[in-house]
């Protein structure tokens, strides 16, 4: 690859160096904050050999290059455009100026949950290993591996402990990420999150039983009775408390002299936020979380076919808009409240469907670059990363994207009718079965087959029809 030529062509296609407000890169993509996205020549951009696709999301214009190459292209691009090497956060801040309030709210959720996603996915994979060891009827009829081979019992127990840590101390992870996002001190965010799951508090998972027996412990605060309840696995309490903590900390830092900040800012901020968390924020947001859980479980219990069909069809368009990030907190809430989420397995169906539609395009396209992109992006989607398939292939040929939506909808409906749930979040692709309860592996595998076969068949049939009409090009 001629790096200088590639960088020069990309700069020209995005409107010239004067149109670039800021730029950085991630593992596979160049990320631009452009002054005017209307100046982008998308057709010219995607003719460049190194470019595998491009799209706009959350105020950023992203150009898919590929792992191992993107950093080289970026370095040359930065040199030619005369821009300083910038962090992802700087690009996000520059891009946020172009967002409306609703988009900013979605972006805020993404900024909070994306940094902790690797820990959650890792925990999900480890829980999947534990499921294989402890689930009955996988290798032995009516028994699990640890029952037949007791020597593996402690091995499975340690794996389960390691896997559960991210979920048990989830408020600590969210507290760190959220307080950082809201402009506070990350360390205070960790302390806040861990405070909400302190061992002296009633475990959140035992709250229902304790309430039924009338044995919820309380504090007596000058006549006010406050429940001593923890928020293990809860999302909303720590999100709101983190926002309050960051605002209080920032206010105090602006009012207190530097010489006294170490002694006053953190103690006051944590003390005030702590009392507010247990008196108001925790009880109110815990109730709201229960309402959200009841809303989704009510819909999927009452009309499971429609729920699975609609969510399966709409998940890919949600990814296009960035709104899919709003459902990760819902997944975590469902896992905590009901023991498993029925939404995340549908995400797997959508990812597989998009990858399958992209794979089918390989047999329809004549352009060698697009054929190669179809294969590589399909593999990426099968491993849980769908952006290359969606933006690089399927959205270019809308019928492929629609075929994938149909396949995901049918697969989502099937697994929902069969009550497939995931007690954890893992890799949203072929390895996703590891995060499904073993008793539901069979219907989940059938759903995967539907999500793969239907988009391939529809894309090929639809594509051949278009090819005959001369519309495929």
């Amino acid at each position: 690859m001629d790096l200088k030529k590639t960088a020069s062509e990309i700069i020209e296609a995005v409107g010239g160096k004067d149109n670039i407000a800021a730029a950085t890169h991630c593992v596979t993509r160049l990320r631009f904050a452009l002054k005017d996205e209307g100046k982008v020549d998308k057709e010219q951009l995607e003719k460049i050999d190194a470019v595998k696709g491009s799209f706009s999301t959350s105020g950023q214009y992203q150009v898919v290059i590929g792992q191992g190459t993107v950093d080289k292209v970026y370095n040359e691009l930065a040199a030619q455009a005369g821009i300083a090497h910038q962090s992802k956060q700087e690009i996000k801040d520059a891009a946020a100026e172009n967002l409306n309030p609703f988009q900013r709210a979605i972006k805020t959720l993404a900024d909070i949950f994306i940094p902790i996603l690797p820990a959650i996915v890792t925990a999900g994979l480890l829980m999947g290993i534990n499921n294989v060891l402890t689930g009955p009827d996988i290798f032995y009829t009516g028994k699990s591996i640890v029952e037949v081979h007791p020597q593996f019992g402690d091995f499975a127990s340690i794996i389960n402990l390691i896997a559960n840590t991210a979920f048990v101390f989830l408020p600590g992870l969210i507290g760190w990420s959220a307080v950082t996002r809201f402009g506070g001190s990350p360390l205070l965010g960790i302390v806040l999150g861990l405070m909400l799951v302190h061992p002296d508090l009633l475990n959140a998972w035992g709250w229902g039983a304790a309430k039924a027996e009338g044995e919820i412990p309380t504090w007596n605060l000058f006549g006010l009775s406050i429940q001593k309840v923890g928020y293990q696995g809860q999302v909303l309490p720590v999100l709101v408390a983190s926002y309050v903590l960051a605002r209080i900390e920032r206010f105090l830092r602006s009012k207190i002299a530097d010489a006294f900040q170490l002694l006053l800012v953190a103690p006051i901020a944590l003390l005030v936020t702590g009392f507010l968390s247990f008196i108001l924020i925790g009880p109110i947001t815990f109730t709201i979380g229960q309402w959200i859980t009841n809303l989704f479980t009510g819909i999927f219990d009452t009309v499971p076919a429609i729920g699975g069909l609609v969510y399966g069809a709409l998940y890919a368009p949600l990814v296009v808009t960035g709104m899919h990030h709003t459902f990760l907190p819902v997944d975590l809430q469902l896992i905590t409240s009901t023991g498993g989420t029925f939404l995340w397995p549908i995400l797997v169906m959508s990812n597989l469907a998009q990858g399958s539609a992209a794979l089918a395009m390989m047999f329809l396209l004549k352009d060698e670059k697009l054929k190669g992109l179809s294969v590589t992006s399909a593999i990426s989607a099968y491993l849980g990363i769908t952006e290359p398939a969606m933006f690089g292939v399927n959205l270019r040929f809308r019928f492929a994207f629609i075929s994938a939506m149909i396949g995901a909808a049918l697969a989502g409906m099937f697994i929902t009718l069969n009550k497939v749930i995931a007690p954890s979040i893992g890799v949203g692709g072929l390895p996703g079965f590891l995060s499904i309860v073993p008793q539901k592996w069979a219907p989940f595998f059938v759903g995967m087959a539907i999500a793969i076969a239907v988009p391939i068949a529809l894309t090929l049939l639809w594509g051949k029809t278009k090819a005959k009409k001369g519309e495929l090009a």
Side-chain angles (χ1 to χ4, degrees):
M1 181 190 300
D2 187 336
L3 292 175
K4 289 186 177 180
K5 180 182 177 183
T6 298
S8 176
E9 291 176 341
I10 292 174
I11 292 171
E12 180 182 353
V14 298
K17 63 182 181 180
D18 292 336
N19 193 40
I20 301 175
T24 187
H25 71 90
C26 59
V27 177
T28 60
R29 288 163 279 168
L30 296 173
R31 296 169 176 255
F32 294 97
L34 301 176
K35 296 175 183 177
D36 182 4
E37 288 191 4
K39 293 183 178 180
V40 175
D41 188 334
K42 185 177 176 70
E43 184 176 351
Q44 178 187 346
L45 180 63
E46 295 185 349
K47 285 181 179 178
I48 300 171
D49 289 340
V51 175
K52 299 178 180 178
S54 64
F55 58 95
S56 177
T57 180
S58 301
Q60 296 181 41
Y61 199 86
Q62 303 191 20
V63 181
V64 182
I65 301 294
Q67 187 174 356
T69 307
V70 66
D71 55 337
K72 300 176 184 177
V73 174
Y74 173 74
N75 289 334
E76 181 60 37
L77 183 145
Q80 290 189 25
I83 56 177
H85 287 240
Q86 292 162 304
S87 67
K88 292 181 188 178
Q89 189 57 50
E90 289 172 323
I91 296 299
K92 290 177 181 178
D93 292 340
E97 298 177 4
N98 301 322
L99 303 179
N100 60 42
F102 180 66
Q103 290 173 319
R104 289 188 183 187
I106 294 174
K107 177 181 175 296
T108 298
L109 281 177
D111 290 345
I112 291 170
F113 284 98
I114 288 178
I116 67 173
L117 197 54
I120 296 173
V121 171
T122 299
L125 286 173
L126 292 176
M127 290 182 73
I129 297 174
N130 181 68
N131 288 342
V132 172
L133 293 171
T134 61
D137 295 316
I138 298 178
F139 297 102
Y140 303 99
T141 303
K143 292 184 177 182
S144 65
I145 291 178
V146 295
E147 288 176 322
V148 177
H149 305 284
Q151 63 269 30
F152 288 105
D154 289 339
F155 178 71
S157 178
I158 293 175
I159 291 177
N160 187 52
L161 183 145
I162 297 171
N164 273 329
T165 298
F167 290 101
V168 172
F169 297 103
L170 181 63
L173 299 177
I174 297 176
W176 161 75
S177 187
V179 172
T180 302
R181 173 61 182 82
F182 294 134
S185 300
L187 184 60
L188 293 185
I190 296 173
V191 174
L192 173 66
L194 296 180
M195 177 185 70
L196 295 176
V197 294
H198 195 283
D200 284 354
L201 301 173
L202 173 66
N203 191 302
W205 290 298
W207 178 81
K211 182 181 179 182
E213 297 174 4
E215 296 179 354
I216 297 179
T218 59
W219 286 298
N220 189 314
L221 188 63
F222 307 114
L224 178 65
S225 181
I226 304 170
Q227 292 184 349
K228 295 174 63 174
V229 178
Y231 296 96
Q232 287 84 356
Q234 295 290 310
V235 174
L236 286 178
V238 69
L239 273 180
V240 176
S242 295
Y243 175 77
V244 172
L245 175 64
R247 292 301 297 265
I248 293 175
E249 182 191 355
R250 290 166 60 186
F251 173 78
L252 292 174
R253 289 195 182 282
S254 68
K255 300 298 181 182
I256 296 175
D258 291 348
F260 299 100
Q261 285 192 5
L262 182 62
L263 294 174
L264 298 176
V265 173
I268 294 174
L270 274 176
L271 194 64
V272 173
T273 307
F275 273 92
L276 289 175
S277 296
F278 291 115
I279 296 172
L280 289 175
I281 296 173
I284 292 173
T285 54
F286 183 82
T287 301
I288 294 173
Q290 293 299 312
W291 290 347
I292 293 173
T293 300
N294 292 338
L295 172 64
F296 278 91
T297 55
I299 292 173
F300 278 78
D301 284 343
T302 305
V303 283
I306 295 176
L309 186 77
V310 172
Y311 191 67
L314 294 183
Y315 188 80
L318 289 173
V319 173
V320 174
T321 63
M323 289 180 63
H324 64 298
H325 294 300
T326 61
F327 286 90
L328 179 55
V330 178
D331 278 318
L332 296 173
Q333 181 70 35
L334 288 169
I335 289 171
T336 302
S337 303
T338 66
T341 173
F342 41 79
L343 295 178
W344 187 82
I346 301 176
L347 171 155
V348 178
M349 300 298 110
S350 180
N351 290 353
L352 294 178
Q354 290 294 329
S356 299
L359 184 63
M361 290 302 299
M362 181 193 70
F363 300 100
L364 298 170
L365 297 168
K366 295 181 179 180
D367 184 278
E368 290 300 321
K369 177 187 172 184
L370 283 178
K371 287 173 74 73
L373 177 59
S374 298
V375 176
T376 57
S377 63
I379 294 172
S380 175
Y382 285 156
L383 295 176
I385 306 297
T386 56
E387 283 87 352
M390 290 172 58
F391 295 106
V393 181
N394 296 344
L395 283 171
R396 292 191 190 190
F397 307 94
R398 288 187 294 274
F399 68 91
F401 188 76
I402 295 171
S403 297
M405 288 174 59
I406 294 171
L410 294 175
M413 179 177 66
F414 179 83
I415 64 173
T416 302
L417 285 171
N418 284 276
K419 300 187 182 303
V420 173
I421 62 170
S424 61
I425 293 171
V427 176
L430 292 175
F433 74 94
L434 290 171
S435 297
I436 305 300
V437 292
Q439 296 85 350
K440 295 296 181 179
W441 278 9
F444 186 74
F445 285 139
V446 174
M448 292 173 73
I450 294 172
I452 293 172
V454 171
I456 289 177
L458 288 178
T459 301
L460 289 175
L461 290 173
W462 203 339
K464 288 179 180 178
T465 302
K466 285 186 168 293
K468 288 180 182 179
K469 296 179 179 180
E471 299 175 357
L472 189 58

